[in-house]
Amino acid sequence: MSSRRSRDITEEEINELISKLQSLLPETRRRGAGRASASKLLKETCNYIKSLHREVDDLSDRLSGLMATMDTNSAQAEIIRSLLRS
């Protein structure tokens, strides 16, 4: 038996978490105050996270291509490196 006891989440806490999640998704913010079902909201969240991953991959590829074409000692390359560090 685990020494850590799991805590039951109340329905009110679940509703609050769903509401917070809904406020983070761009698509649900555009739709306004209408409340989506929890399952639909979770599906939209998964789709949004997948789209963010694709966007990160695309931007990473573009940045790699840009860095490959520039002089690594140039001022522009140093600016890009400093931006990546922050």
Side-chain angles (χ1 to χ4, degrees), residues 18-19 22-23 27-37 41 44:
I18 289 171
S19 179
Q22 188 173 18
S23 71
E27 188 62 33
T28 58
R29 283 189 298 210
R30 277 194 293 261
R31 271 186 272 169
R35 175 92 189 244
S37 71
L41 188 62
E44 288 178 11

Side-chain angles (χ1 to χ4, degrees), residues 2-14 16-17:
S2 174
S3 62
R4 185 192 237 188
R5 184 178 169 154
S6 66
R7 181 174 88 82
D8 291 335
I9 297 176
T10 66
E11 188 172 333
E12 183 179 321
E13 290 172 315
I14 291 172
E16 184 179 326
L17 291 169

